[in-house]
Amino acid sequence: MLKSSFFIALVGATALSGCMATDGERALGGAAAGALIADATDENMVAGAALGALAGSYCDDAGLCSNRGY
C-alpha cells in the first residue's frame, strides 16, 4: 500500500509540475510534494522538501515538464 501511495503522489506531482511556468513555481510545487511524501513515509520532511524543490526546478531542463508545446 505504501508503494502505491508513493507512486501515485510522484506521478501526480510530476503531472502538475508541467502546469507551472517558471522554475521557481516548479521548485515550490516540488518542495510541497516532497514534504508531503516524506511526511507520509515517516521520513525527514526538510530533506524531502529540499529534494522535491531540486527535482521541480530541474525537471524542465531534463525535458520532463516542458511548457514549450513540443
Side-chain angles (χ1 to χ4, degrees):
M1 180 67 180
L2 185 60
K3 278 189 174 183
S4 64
S5 297
F6 178 75
F7 181 72
I8 291 169
L10 183 63
V11 169
T14 303
L16 288 175
S17 67
C19 298
M20 299 175 188
T22 66
D23 285 340
E25 290 174 347
R26 286 188 290 272
L28 287 174
L36 287 172
I37 292 169
D39 187 38
T41 57
D42 292 328
E43 297 294 331
N44 185 345
M45 287 179 56
V46 174
L51 289 174
L54 183 67
S57 65
Y58 286 108
C59 72
D60 185 39
D61 298 334
L64 298 174
C65 57
S66 176
N67 286 343
R68 296 184 188 118
Y70 55 86

